[in-house]
Amino acid sequence: MTARHVLVLNCGSSSVKYQLLDMADHTRLAVGLVERIGEAAPRLTHTPADGARRERALAAPDHESALKALAAELAADGLGFDSPHLAAVGHRVVHGGRAFTRPTVVDDAVLAEIERLVPVAPLHNPANLGGIRVARAMNPGLPQVAVFDTAFHTTMPEHAARYAIDVATADAHRIRRYGFHGTSHAYVSRRTAELLGKEPSEVNVIVLHLGNGASASAVAGGRCVETSMGLTPLEGLVMGTRSGDIDPGVVFHLARVAGLSVDEADTLLNRRSGLVGLCGDNDMREIVRRMDEGDDAARLAFAIYTHRLRKYLGAYTAVLGHVDAVAFTAGVGENSAPVRRAAVAGLEVLGLAVDEELNVERASTARLISPQYARVAVAVVPTDEELEIATQTYALVTAANG
Ligand code: ADP
């Protein structure tokens, strides 16, 4: 019997998201979430294949108890960590630095390397590591695979990955542009090629991943050559709560003139900026609704957000030289017709346009929204990071087993 199930774990600081996939046909055998770990009233929500959702309160002071609870939930359906069908666990790991350019089977050396990267990803890597350690202890014989958010971007050329700062300081502290959301950019750029009926190696794609966090990438023939996030996810596009690109001098000004501490400036730029900072809302539906009612703050927030998108489309067209497609993905990219319309408005010179009828159509499948005549295809491609993690994990363990 071939083991064909892959459990995907995404451990955040206070939550664990999980999905169990059957790689024979990509069906979801279970989808769940443990939230508020270590906080008051943790909860587990578990939906098996039949759709009958189960929800319960649990005692989850840490990731270990959260993973044990989700394992028990899976075991109740005969799909626990000891299931003979389970081929591997795929873990989302946010920061793989320069060392990890592809998914990697976890051993002690790999764990130590992920640990070494904690200073560049202090919020994420510790939780990811915790999840791997607990899952490993629960079934030591089961392969654990780390899939890194940064891996897809490790193909960026040095002139795109380096900041123009003192080289010795940069190297001593590993300061460079790593990029994030790589699993999504990889999946969406490949799906976009499929939608065009081409191989990934045959097309150049700009991917706009617009969720609460947002990033753009330029993908040439399947390889990432530029992305908008940097050392941290703060750089680049305007996001739900993050400023994106900003003059670093603003930070010095906040410290010297406004009297903010480093931590306060960090909180301001990461949590109280972006759409929330501009208009008090970070849900694009609400911003568009307010804008339609003539709300000036919402209108300005939308204008700044979409102006930044147009700047990046122009810049990445220049980086790629030739663009076959622009793909919109994640919560805003997949659902907001007004954002897509405004993002390409006035960019006919770059061959970009949307067909308004196609743009406003609601659908959950990958589709083209550009007019027949457009030189560049504009696509809406739902992202699926869990499927991508499971696919990469399964490919690795089946290759390893010959
Ligand atoms: P995350 O980065 O948390 O994974 P998502 O990709 O789920 O984010 O995107 C969440 C965002 O998507 C919300 O903050 C909201 O702005 C936007 N969004 C979700 N649904 C819609 C919709 N129907 N129309 C416009 N925007 C939407």
Side-chain angles (χ1 to χ4, degrees):
M1 179 184 58
T2 320
R4 289 223 171 87
H5 298 174
V6 173
L7 177 65
V8 176
L9 288 181
N10 180 354
C11 295
S13 55
S14 67
S15 71
V16 177
K17 292 186 198 146
Y18 62 96
Q19 290 196 8
L20 181 68
L21 288 100
D22 185 339
M23 298 316 290
D25 55 7
H26 296 173
T27 47
R28 318 269 151 162
L29 301 169
V31 176
L33 165 72
V34 185
E35 53 193 330
R36 298 200 287 271
I37 299 167
E39 297 170 9
R43 282 196 81 70
L44 179 146
T45 314
H46 180 95
T47 310
D50 66 9
R53 194 165 121 131
R54 311 198 284 265
E55 247 190 279
R56 62 188 175 92
L58 69 158
D62 52 29
H63 284 79
E64 181 166 356
S65 42
L67 258 74
K68 284 190 171 146
L70 75 85
E73 216 55 55
L74 290 165
D77 297 328
L79 298 168
F81 274 64
D82 54 356
S83 156
H85 302 290
L86 190 58
V89 182
H91 296 265
R92 175 187 182 216
V93 180
V94 168
H95 217 309
R98 300 183 74 183
F100 297 111
T101 58
R102 49 178 61 89
T104 306
V105 176
V106 174
D107 58 18
D108 290 339
V110 168
L111 277 179
E113 185 58 32
I114 299 173
E115 181 94 57
R116 223 171 61 81
L117 289 163
V118 167
V120 284
L123 297 179
H124 295 105
N125 275 27
N128 303 156
L129 269 171
I132 298 175
R133 288 205 175 99
V134 178
R136 225 178 157 205
M138 281 162 69
N139 182 348
L142 191 64
Q144 310 285 328
V145 175
V147 179
F148 301 92
D149 267 20
T150 46
F152 185 61
H153 304 303
T154 55
T155 51
M156 276 200 290
E158 202 61 4
H159 58 252
R162 276 218 179 251
Y163 291 111
I165 63 170
D166 173 66
V167 170
T169 307
D171 287 350
H173 300 284
R174 285 177 285 174
I175 298 169
R176 58 189 282 119
R177 308 189 57 250
Y178 294 99
F180 298 90
H181 293 144
T183 306
S184 176
H185 287 286
Y187 176 82
V188 171
S189 55
R190 222 179 44 239
R191 285 286 293 130
T192 305
E194 260 173 53
L195 197 62
L196 300 180
K198 300 263 176 71
E199 290 298 320
S201 60
E202 297 175 319
V203 291
N204 287 353
V205 182
I206 299 173
V207 178
L208 298 174
H209 175 110
L210 311 178
N212 200 25
S215 63
S217 68
V219 184
R223 290 165 67 84
C224 178
V225 294
E226 178 58 285
T227 195
S228 60
M229 284 177 167
L231 172 72
T232 76
L234 186 54
E235 192 178 343
L237 303 177
V238 177
M239 313 185 204
T241 66
R242 297 189 192 116
S243 62
D245 292 337
I246 198 167
D247 175 356
V250 169
V251 180
F252 313 137
H253 191 84
L254 286 170
R256 293 191 188 119
V257 180
L260 266 64
S261 68
V262 170
D263 286 343
E264 286 166 343
D266 187 327
T267 303
L268 178 78
L269 296 181
N270 272 299
R271 298 192 189 281
R272 293 199 287 121
S273 297
L275 294 170
V276 139
L278 289 166
C279 73
D281 262 312
N282 62 344
D283 190 317
M284 193 52 82
R285 281 163 288 203
E286 188 56 18
I287 291 169
V288 170
R289 192 192 60 73
R290 282 173 53 188
M291 198 166 67
D292 290 345
E293 286 175 354
D295 182 319
D296 285 337
R299 191 178 298 165
L300 182 61
F302 184 87
I304 295 172
Y305 184 96
T306 52
H307 170 71
R308 187 81 51 89
L309 289 175
R310 289 192 298 276
K311 275 198 348 191
Y312 269 87
L313 283 172
Y316 284 10
T317 301
V319 166
L320 288 168
H322 166 85
V323 182
D324 295 289
V326 171
F328 286 90
T329 193
V332 177
E334 290 167 31
N335 297 299
S336 183
V339 165
R340 294 190 297 254
R341 180 186 310 133
V344 303
L347 298 187
E348 292 82 5
V349 65
L350 303 181
L352 284 167
V354 294
D355 174 320
E356 222 12 76
E357 253 178 56
L358 298 174
N359 186 34
V360 298
E361 220 168 74
R362 298 203 62 85
S364 55
T365 48
R367 64 196 191 277
L368 293 177
I369 59 167
S370 41
Q372 291 282 333
Y373 64 78
R375 264 191 290 131
V376 179
V378 179
V380 179
V381 178
T383 192
D384 194 337
E385 289 167 277
E386 290 78 15
L387 175 59
E388 180 66 18
I389 291 172
T391 304
Q392 293 190 17
T393 298
Y394 193 62
L396 187 63
V397 298
T398 45
N401 293 338

